[in-house]
Amino acid sequence: MTTTLTIRRPDDWHLHLRDGAMLAAVAPDTARHFGRAMIMPNLVPPVTDVAAASAYRQRILAATKGMDFMPYMTIYLTEDTQIETIKAAAADAMILAVKLYPAGATTNSASGVRDINKVMPQLEAMAEAGLPLAVHGEVTDADVDIFDREKQFIDKVLDPLRRRLPQLRIVMEHITTSDAVDYVRASRDQSSEELTLGATITVHHLMITRNHILAGGIRPHYYCLPVAKRNTHRDALIAAALSGDSRFFMGTDSAPHPDSGKLSPCGCAGIYTAPVAMGCLAQVFDDANSIDALERFVSINGAGFYNLPINSSTLTLIRHNAPIDIMPPIHAGGEAVTVFDPMRSIYWSVAPDTE
Ligand code: DOR
Ligand code: ZN
């Protein structure tokens, strides 16, 4: 028996689309399934002002022409970001957040923030204007173990920042630890006021652990940042996603890299999940006997955080009787890009007529 599930059209609140040939190759994969997405600004050079964000948005619209897809933009925070830029971003309905990359934390983060104290005026202006801060929450100190970097960020950077600027709205992006789940849960009791702390969770962090990367051979296609942790952390993320708590919502962090960049002695971080994200996510919820909780996580909670309406259109997922085939690599500018394979049976896919 084939089962179907129809939900409000989902959104992706954390997405890398790149530029040029890669943008053209990957943007339709997201636009087929998601109504809206929040686009990350870590291009080379980064998107650091409103004019660059608007121009990039036009290129995204061109790459998804004729599709019902709304890209929202982010501005890359640097120690030189002008207060005028913050004010202009807050006044632009297409810009949803400012992105904090600690310098050196991940792909194209060299222009990021070295010292959070140097951007306090910008963060104060954001708090004043109600413009959220999206954080890549990892410290970058060479002597901090890579598996501890998220927890250290919470303790050393995030919590002090929230105490200093309690009105600043913050999204912890792509959380990977039970420490982050606990921190978000403890942040305040849910009430009718606007949330000041939320967190996105990726599809891959709900499915893989560090064993996928390292046990039985090294698998570079599972390497991303923050790096996947042990299974107890993954289980805490699954519990958060299933819980319905409005502070947790889906952001794929789909981050395409050519295979030549991934399969190298110093491979880059990022997993291309966009085309399979919805089927994989449905499998995670189904395996937990919680398929009914999927819509809140992927179609409702994030819109609520960003004060946007829920999409009026829908997406239908189909549960097949046999596992679906692994998706072959896509091609961008003559290079192959491997699509995420969670190394387990996936029975769910998106119904083609609702793509
Ligand atoms: O794995 C990742 N890839 N994590 C990030 O934070 C950035 C992203 C990318 O841009 O490739
Ligand atoms: Zn990202």
Side-chain angles (χ1 to χ4, degrees):
M1 197 192 65
T2 310
T3 312
T4 65
L5 173 75
T6 297
I7 57 172
R8 293 296 187 119
R9 204 161 185 81
D11 301 307
D12 183 348
W13 296 112
H14 184 124
L15 177 66
H16 299 268
L17 287 179
R18 318 302 190 200
D19 215 340
M22 186 67 91
L23 169 64
V26 302
D29 281 344
T30 290
R32 263 190 285 280
H33 297 173
F34 296 92
R36 298 168 289 199
M38 190 168 93
I39 314 302
M40 290 300 123
N42 61 334
L43 302 182
V44 191
V47 177
T48 51
D49 61 31
V50 173
S54 305
Y56 184 29
R57 185 166 190 276
Q58 291 308 314
R59 299 196 293 281
I60 296 167
L61 290 172
T64 53
K65 201 162 189 268
M67 304 179 84
D68 184 13
F69 176 65
M70 177 75 134
Y72 285 101
M73 310 309 289
T74 53
I75 300 284
Y76 188 119
L77 183 64
T78 75
E79 291 177 5
D80 300 322
T81 301
Q82 301 293 306
I83 299 299
E84 287 316 310
T85 299
I86 300 291
K87 289 185 180 158
D92 188 325
M94 293 302 121
I95 296 177
L96 284 192
V98 170
K99 180 72 191 267
L100 167 66
Y101 285 107
T106 188
T107 309
N108 302 337
S109 61
S111 322
V113 173
R114 256 156 250 288
D115 176 0
I116 191 92
N117 294 310
K118 297 235 172 84
V119 292
M120 282 316 289
Q122 292 90 330
L123 297 175
E124 281 162 12
M126 289 169 60
E128 174 105 342
L131 182 62
L133 180 71
V135 297
H136 182 112
E138 289 190 286
V139 296
T140 52
D141 316 43
D143 54 356
V144 176
D145 189 277
I146 192 159
F147 292 101
D148 299 334
R149 289 179 174 193
E150 184 170 285
K151 175 159 173 36
Q152 290 255 339
F153 184 89
I154 295 168
D155 296 344
K156 302 256 170 68
V157 183
L158 182 62
D159 193 55
L161 173 62
R162 293 188 62 245
R163 285 173 196 280
R164 191 163 163 187
L165 258 186
Q167 329 82 283
L168 180 64
R169 307 191 71 215
I170 298 179
V171 186
M172 293 177 71
E173 300 291 338
H174 42 52
I175 57 171
T176 60
T177 58
S178 59
D179 308 283
V181 170
D182 292 346
Y183 186 75
V184 173
R185 282 216 173 106
S187 61
R188 63 196 265 296
D189 290 325
Q190 297 224 51
S191 76
S192 54
E193 306 159 43
E194 203 174 50
L195 296 171
T196 52
L197 185 64
T200 56
I201 305 178
T202 75
V203 177
H204 51 277
H205 288 119
L206 293 170
M207 300 189 93
I208 66 169
T209 69
R210 60 197 198 181
N211 277 12
H212 286 72
I213 314 170
L214 295 170
I218 187 160
R219 298 193 195 80
H221 289 303
Y222 293 126
Y223 176 61
C224 66
L225 288 169
V227 70
K229 311 294 191 296
R230 64 170 67 243
N231 56 1
T232 47
H233 291 294
R234 180 193 51 189
D235 293 349
L237 299 175
I238 294 173
L242 299 176
S243 68
D245 185 325
S246 56
R247 294 168 289 193
F248 298 106
F249 41 95
M250 209 287 298
T252 61
D253 199 16
S254 179
H257 290 275
D259 283 357
S260 57
K262 295 285 300 172
L263 307 176
S264 110
C266 186
C268 41
I271 307 182
Y272 184 51
T273 56
V276 295
M278 283 310 302
C280 285
L281 206 49
Q283 193 66 50
V284 169
F285 280 67
D286 194 9
D287 288 348
N289 292 318
S290 300
I291 196 75
D292 291 345
L294 179 65
E295 188 179 43
R296 278 193 69 82
F297 179 61
V298 77
S299 313
I300 295 175
N301 290 349
F305 185 90
Y306 287 112
N307 293 316
L308 294 168
I310 296 162
N311 289 317
S312 51
S313 58
T314 59
L315 187 81
T316 297
L317 292 143
I318 305 174
R319 188 185 194 286
H320 305 269
N321 295 325
I324 58 168
D325 293 338
I326 293 165
M327 194 168 282
I330 65 154
H331 294 274
E335 294 241 44
V337 178
T338 293
V339 179
F340 178 58
D341 164 15
M343 281 211 300
R344 72 195 228 202
S345 297
I346 302 295
Y347 290 84
W348 289 86
S349 69
V350 173
D353 61 338
T354 64
E355 283 193 331

Coordinates of all heavy atoms in Angstrom, one line a residue, residues 242-311:
L242 N 11.2 16.5 16.6 CA 9.9 15.9 16.7 C 9.0 16.6 17.7 O 7.8 16.4 17.7 CB 10.1 14.4 17.2 CG 10.9 13.4 16.4 CD1 10.9 12.1 17.1 CD2 10.2 13.2 15.0
S243 N 9.6 17.3 18.6 CA 8.9 17.8 19.8 C 7.8 18.8 19.5 O 6.9 19.0 20.3 CB 9.9 18.5 20.8 OG 10.3 19.7 20.2
G244 N 7.9 19.5 18.3 CA 6.9 20.5 18.0 C 7.3 21.8 18.6 O 6.6 22.9 18.3
D245 N 8.3 21.9 19.5 CA 8.7 23.1 20.1 C 9.0 24.2 19.0 O 9.8 23.9 18.1 CB 10.0 22.8 20.9 CG 10.5 24.0 21.7 OD1 10.4 25.2 21.3 OD2 11.0 23.8 22.8
S246 N 8.4 25.3 19.1 CA 8.4 26.3 18.0 C 9.8 26.9 17.8 O 10.1 27.6 16.8 CB 7.4 27.4 18.2 OG 7.6 28.0 19.4
R247 N 10.7 26.7 18.8 CA 12.1 27.2 18.7 C 13.0 26.4 17.8 O 14.1 26.8 17.4 CB 12.7 27.3 20.1 CG 12.0 28.3 20.9 CD 12.4 28.3 22.4 NE 11.9 27.1 23.0 CZ 11.9 26.8 24.3 NH1 12.4 27.8 25.1 NH2 11.5 25.7 24.8
F248 N 12.5 25.2 17.3 CA 13.4 24.4 16.5 C 12.7 24.3 15.1 O 11.6 23.9 15.0 CB 13.5 22.9 17.1 CG 14.2 22.9 18.4 CD1 13.5 22.7 19.6 CD2 15.6 23.1 18.5 CE1 14.1 22.7 20.8 CE2 16.2 23.1 19.7 CZ 15.5 22.9 20.9
F249 N 13.5 24.6 14.1 CA 13.0 24.5 12.7 C 14.1 24.1 11.7 O 15.3 24.1 12.0 CB 12.3 25.8 12.3 CG 13.0 27.1 12.7 CD1 13.9 27.7 11.8 CD2 12.8 27.7 13.9 CE1 14.5 28.9 12.2 CE2 13.4 28.8 14.3 CZ 14.3 29.5 13.4
M250 N 13.6 23.7 10.5 CA 14.5 23.0 9.6 C 15.3 24.0 8.7 O 14.7 25.0 8.2 CB 13.7 22.2 8.7 CG 14.4 20.9 8.1 SD 15.5 21.2 6.8 CE 14.5 22.0 5.5
G251 N 16.6 23.8 8.6 CA 17.4 24.5 7.7 C 18.4 23.5 7.2 O 19.1 22.9 8.0
T252 N 18.4 23.2 5.9 CA 19.2 22.1 5.4 C 20.7 22.3 5.5 O 21.4 21.3 5.7 CB 18.9 21.8 3.9 OG1 19.3 22.9 3.1 CG2 17.5 21.4 3.7
D253 N 21.2 23.6 5.4 CA 22.6 23.8 5.2 C 23.1 23.0 4.0 O 24.3 22.6 4.0 CB 23.4 23.4 6.5 CG 24.8 24.1 6.5 OD1 25.0 25.0 5.7 OD2 25.6 23.6 7.3
S254 N 22.3 22.7 3.1 CA 22.7 22.1 1.8 C 23.8 23.0 1.2 O 23.7 24.1 1.0 CB 21.5 22.0 0.9 OG 21.9 21.4 -0.4
A255 N 25.0 22.3 1.1 CA 26.2 23.1 0.7 C 27.0 22.4 -0.4 O 27.9 21.6 -0.1 CB 27.0 23.3 2.0
P256 N 26.6 22.6 -1.6 CA 27.3 21.9 -2.7 C 28.8 22.3 -2.9 O 29.1 23.4 -2.8 CB 26.5 22.3 -3.9 CG 25.9 23.6 -3.6 CD 25.6 23.6 -2.1
H257 N 29.6 21.3 -3.1 CA 31.0 21.5 -3.5 C 31.2 20.5 -4.6 O 30.7 19.3 -4.6 CB 32.0 21.1 -2.4 CG 31.9 22.1 -1.2 ND1 32.7 23.2 -1.2 CD2 31.3 22.1 -0.1 CE1 32.5 23.9 -0.1 NE2 31.6 23.2 0.6
P258 N 32.1 20.8 -5.6 CA 32.5 19.8 -6.6 C 33.2 18.6 -5.9 O 33.9 18.8 -4.9 CB 33.5 20.6 -7.5 CG 33.3 22.0 -7.2 CD 32.7 22.1 -5.8
D259 N 33.0 17.4 -6.4 CA 33.6 16.3 -5.8 C 35.2 16.5 -5.8 O 35.8 16.0 -4.8 CB 33.3 15.0 -6.6 CG 31.9 14.5 -6.4 OD1 31.2 15.1 -5.5 OD2 31.5 13.5 -7.0
S260 N 35.7 17.2 -6.7 CA 37.2 17.4 -6.7 C 37.6 18.2 -5.4 O 38.7 18.0 -4.9 CB 37.6 18.2 -7.9 OG 36.9 19.4 -8.0
G261 N 36.7 19.0 -4.9 CA 37.0 19.7 -3.6 C 36.8 18.9 -2.4 O 37.4 19.0 -1.4
K262 N 35.8 17.9 -2.5 CA 35.5 17.1 -1.3 C 36.5 15.9 -1.2 O 36.9 15.6 -0.1 CB 34.1 16.4 -1.5 CG 33.0 17.4 -1.5 CD 32.6 17.9 -0.2 CE 32.2 16.8 0.8 NZ 32.0 17.4 2.2
L263 N 36.9 15.4 -2.4 CA 37.8 14.2 -2.4 C 39.2 14.6 -2.6 O 39.8 14.3 -3.6 CB 37.3 13.2 -3.5 CG 35.8 12.9 -3.4 CD1 35.4 12.0 -4.6 CD2 35.5 12.2 -2.1
S264 N 39.8 15.2 -1.5 CA 41.1 15.7 -1.7 C 41.8 15.6 -0.3 O 41.1 15.3 0.7 CB 41.1 17.2 -2.1 OG 41.4 18.1 -1.1
P265 N 43.1 15.7 -0.3 CA 43.8 15.5 1.0 C 43.4 16.4 2.1 O 43.5 16.2 3.3 CB 45.3 15.7 0.7 CG 45.4 15.5 -0.8 CD 44.1 15.9 -1.4
C266 N 42.8 17.6 1.7 CA 42.2 18.5 2.6 C 40.9 18.9 2.1 O 40.7 20.0 1.5 CB 43.1 19.8 2.8 SG 42.5 20.8 4.1
G267 N 39.9 18.0 2.2 CA 38.6 18.2 1.6 C 37.8 19.2 2.3 O 37.9 19.5 3.5
C268 N 36.9 19.9 1.5 CA 36.1 20.9 2.1 C 34.8 20.4 2.8 O 34.4 19.3 2.5 CB 35.8 22.0 1.1 SG 35.4 21.4 -0.5
A269 N 34.3 21.3 3.6 CA 33.1 20.9 4.5 C 31.8 21.3 3.7 O 31.7 22.4 3.2 CB 33.2 21.7 5.8
G270 N 30.9 20.4 3.7 CA 29.6 20.7 3.2 C 29.0 19.5 2.5 O 29.7 18.6 1.9
I271 N 27.7 19.3 2.6 CA 26.9 18.1 2.1 C 25.8 18.7 1.3 O 25.0 19.5 1.7 CB 26.4 17.3 3.3 CG1 27.5 16.9 4.3 CG2 25.7 16.0 2.7 CD1 27.1 16.0 5.4
Y272 N 25.7 18.1 0.0 CA 24.6 18.6 -0.9 C 23.4 17.7 -0.6 O 23.3 16.6 -1.1 CB 25.1 18.5 -2.3 CG 24.0 19.0 -3.2 CD1 23.5 20.3 -3.0 CD2 23.6 18.3 -4.3 CE1 22.5 20.8 -3.8 CE2 22.6 18.8 -5.2 CZ 22.1 20.1 -4.9 OH 21.1 20.6 -5.7
T273 N 22.4 18.3 0.1 CA 21.2 17.5 0.5 C 20.0 17.9 -0.2 O 19.0 17.2 -0.1 CB 21.0 17.6 2.0 OG1 20.9 19.0 2.4 CG2 22.1 16.9 2.8
A274 N 20.0 19.1 -0.9 CA 18.7 19.7 -1.3 C 17.7 18.7 -2.0 O 16.6 18.7 -1.7 CB 19.0 21.0 -2.1
P275 N 18.2 18.0 -3.0 CA 17.2 17.2 -3.8 C 16.6 16.1 -3.0 O 15.5 15.6 -3.3 CB 18.0 16.6 -4.9 CG 19.4 17.1 -4.8 CD 19.6 17.8 -3.5
V276 N 17.3 15.6 -1.9 CA 16.7 14.4 -1.2 C 16.3 14.8 0.2 O 15.8 14.0 1.0 CB 17.8 13.3 -1.1 CG1 18.1 12.7 -2.5 CG2 19.1 13.8 -0.4
A277 N 16.4 16.1 0.5 CA 16.1 16.5 1.9 C 14.7 16.1 2.4 O 14.6 15.6 3.5 CB 16.3 18.0 2.1
M278 N 13.7 16.4 1.6 CA 12.3 16.1 2.1 C 12.1 14.6 2.3 O 11.4 14.2 3.2 CB 11.3 16.8 1.2 CG 11.2 18.3 1.4 SD 11.0 18.8 3.1 CE 9.5 17.9 3.6
G279 N 12.5 13.8 1.3 CA 12.3 12.4 1.5 C 13.0 11.8 2.7 O 12.5 11.0 3.5
C280 N 14.3 12.3 2.9 CA 15.1 11.8 4.1 C 14.4 12.3 5.4 O 14.3 11.5 6.3 CB 16.5 12.4 4.0 SG 17.5 11.6 2.8
L281 N 13.9 13.5 5.4 CA 13.3 14.0 6.6 C 12.0 13.2 6.9 O 11.8 12.9 8.1 CB 13.0 15.5 6.3 CG 12.9 16.5 7.5 CD1 14.1 16.4 8.4 CD2 12.7 17.9 6.9
A282 N 11.2 13.0 5.9 CA 10.0 12.2 6.2 C 10.4 10.8 6.8 O 9.7 10.3 7.7 CB 9.2 12.0 4.9
Q283 N 11.5 10.2 6.3 CA 11.9 8.9 6.8 C 12.3 9.0 8.3 O 11.9 8.1 9.1 CB 13.1 8.4 6.0 CG 13.4 7.0 6.3 CD 12.3 6.1 5.8 OE1 11.9 6.2 4.6 NE2 11.8 5.2 6.6
V284 N 13.0 10.1 8.6 CA 13.4 10.3 10.1 C 12.1 10.3 10.9 O 12.1 9.7 12.0 CB 14.2 11.6 10.2 CG1 14.4 11.9 11.7 CG2 15.6 11.4 9.5
F285 N 11.2 11.1 10.5 CA 9.9 11.3 11.3 C 9.1 10.0 11.3 O 8.6 9.6 12.3 CB 9.1 12.5 10.8 CG 9.6 13.8 11.3 CD1 10.8 14.3 10.9 CD2 8.9 14.6 12.2 CE1 11.3 15.5 11.3 CE2 9.3 15.8 12.6 CZ 10.6 16.3 12.2
D286 N 9.1 9.3 10.2 CA 8.3 8.1 10.1 C 8.9 7.0 11.0 O 8.3 6.3 11.7 CB 8.3 7.6 8.6 CG 7.3 6.5 8.3 OD1 6.5 6.2 9.2 OD2 7.3 5.9 7.2
D287 N 10.3 6.9 10.9 CA 11.0 5.9 11.8 C 10.7 6.1 13.3 O 10.8 5.2 14.1 CB 12.5 5.9 11.5 CG 12.8 5.3 10.1 OD1 11.9 4.7 9.5 OD2 13.9 5.5 9.7
A288 N 10.4 7.4 13.6 CA 10.1 7.7 15.0 C 8.6 7.7 15.3 O 8.1 8.1 16.3 CB 10.6 9.1 15.4
N289 N 7.8 7.1 14.3 CA 6.4 7.1 14.4 C 5.8 8.4 14.6 O 4.8 8.6 15.4 CB 5.9 6.1 15.5 CG 6.2 4.7 15.2 OD1 6.1 4.3 14.0 ND2 6.8 4.0 16.1
S290 N 6.3 9.5 14.0 CA 5.9 10.8 14.3 C 5.7 11.6 13.0 O 6.0 12.8 12.9 CB 6.9 11.6 15.1 OG 7.1 10.9 16.4
I291 N 5.3 11.0 11.9 CA 5.2 11.7 10.7 C 4.3 12.9 10.8 O 4.5 13.9 10.1 CB 4.7 10.7 9.5 CG1 5.0 11.3 8.2 CG2 3.3 10.3 9.7 CD1 6.4 11.3 7.7
D292 N 3.3 12.9 11.7 CA 2.4 14.0 11.8 C 3.1 15.3 12.4 O 2.6 16.4 12.3 CB 1.3 13.7 12.8 CG 0.3 12.7 12.1 OD1 0.4 12.5 10.9 OD2 -0.5 12.1 12.8
A293 N 4.3 15.1 13.0 CA 5.1 16.2 13.5 C 5.9 16.9 12.4 O 6.5 18.0 12.7 CB 5.9 15.8 14.7
L294 N 6.0 16.3 11.3 CA 6.9 16.8 10.2 C 6.5 18.3 9.8 O 7.4 19.1 9.7 CB 6.8 15.9 9.0 CG 7.7 16.3 7.8 CD1 9.2 16.3 8.1 CD2 7.4 15.4 6.6
E295 N 5.3 18.5 9.6 CA 4.8 19.8 9.1 C 5.2 21.0 10.0 O 5.7 22.0 9.6 CB 3.3 19.8 8.9 CG 2.8 21.0 8.2 CD 1.3 21.0 8.0 OE1 0.6 20.6 8.9 OE2 0.9 21.3 6.9
R296 N 5.1 20.8 11.3 CA 5.5 21.9 12.2 C 7.0 22.2 12.1 O 7.4 23.4 12.0 CB 5.3 21.4 13.7 CG 3.8 21.6 14.2 CD 3.8 21.5 15.7 NE 4.4 22.6 16.3 CZ 3.8 23.8 16.6 NH1 2.6 24.0 16.2 NH2 4.5 24.8 17.1
F297 N 7.8 21.2 12.0 CA 9.2 21.4 11.9 C 9.7 22.0 10.6 O 10.6 22.9 10.6 CB 9.9 20.0 12.1 CG 11.4 20.1 12.1 CD1 12.2 20.8 13.0 CD2 12.1 19.4 11.1 CE1 13.5 20.9 12.9 CE2 13.5 19.4 11.1 CZ 14.2 20.1 12.0
V298 N 9.1 21.7 9.5 CA 9.6 22.1 8.2 C 8.7 23.2 7.6 O 9.2 23.8 6.6 CB 9.8 20.8 7.3 CG1 8.5 20.3 6.8 CG2 10.8 21.1 6.2
S299 N 7.5 23.4 8.0 CA 6.6 24.3 7.3 C 6.1 25.4 8.2 O 5.5 26.3 7.7 CB 5.5 23.6 6.6 OG 5.9 22.4 6.0
I300 N 6.2 25.3 9.5 CA 5.4 26.2 10.4 C 6.4 27.0 11.3 O 6.3 28.2 11.4 CB 4.3 25.4 11.2 CG1 3.3 24.9 10.2 CG2 3.7 26.3 12.2 CD1 2.2 24.0 10.8
N301 N 7.2 26.2 12.1 CA 8.0 26.9 13.1 C 8.9 28.0 12.6 O 9.0 29.1 13.3 CB 8.8 25.9 13.9 CG 7.9 25.0 14.7 OD1 6.7 25.2 14.9 ND2 8.5 23.9 15.3
G302 N 9.6 27.8 11.5 CA 10.5 28.8 11.0 C 9.8 30.0 10.5 O 10.3 31.1 10.8
A303 N 8.7 29.8 9.8 CA 8.0 31.0 9.4 C 7.5 31.8 10.6 O 7.6 33.1 10.6 CB 6.7 30.6 8.6
G304 N 7.1 31.1 11.7 CA 6.7 31.8 12.9 C 7.9 32.6 13.5 O 7.7 33.8 13.8
F305 N 9.1 32.0 13.5 CA 10.2 32.8 14.1 C 10.5 34.1 13.3 O 10.8 35.1 13.8 CB 11.5 31.9 14.1 CG 12.6 32.6 14.8 CD1 12.9 32.4 16.1 CD2 13.5 33.4 14.0 CE1 13.9 33.1 16.8 CE2 14.5 34.1 14.7 CZ 14.7 34.0 16.0
Y306 N 10.4 34.0 11.9 CA 10.7 35.1 11.1 C 9.5 36.0 10.8 O 9.5 36.9 10.0 CB 11.3 34.7 9.8 CG 12.8 34.2 10.0 CD1 13.1 32.9 9.9 CD2 13.8 35.1 10.4 CE1 14.4 32.4 10.1 CE2 15.1 34.7 10.6 CZ 15.4 33.3 10.4 OH 16.7 32.9 10.7
N307 N 8.4 35.7 11.6 CA 7.2 36.6 11.5 C 6.6 36.6 10.0 O 6.2 37.6 9.5 CB 7.4 38.0 11.9 CG 7.7 38.0 13.4 OD1 7.0 37.4 14.2 ND2 8.7 38.8 13.8
L308 N 6.7 35.4 9.4 CA 6.1 35.3 8.0 C 4.9 34.4 8.1 O 4.9 33.5 8.9 CB 7.2 34.7 7.1 CG 8.4 35.7 6.9 CD1 9.5 34.9 6.2 CD2 8.0 36.9 6.1
P309 N 4.0 34.5 7.1 CA 2.9 33.6 7.1 C 3.3 32.2 6.7 O 4.4 32.1 6.0 CB 1.9 34.2 6.0 CG 2.8 35.1 5.2 CD 4.0 35.6 6.1
I310 N 2.5 31.2 7.0 CA 2.8 29.9 6.5 C 2.4 29.8 5.0 O 1.5 30.5 4.6 CB 1.9 28.9 7.3 CG1 2.3 29.0 8.8 CG2 2.0 27.5 6.8 CD1 1.3 28.4 9.7
N311 N 3.2 29.0 4.3 CA 2.9 29.0 2.8 C 1.4 28.5 2.6 O 0.9 27.6 3.3 CB 3.8 28.0 2.1 CG 5.2 28.6 2.1 OD1 5.4 29.7 1.8 ND2 6.2 27.7 2.3

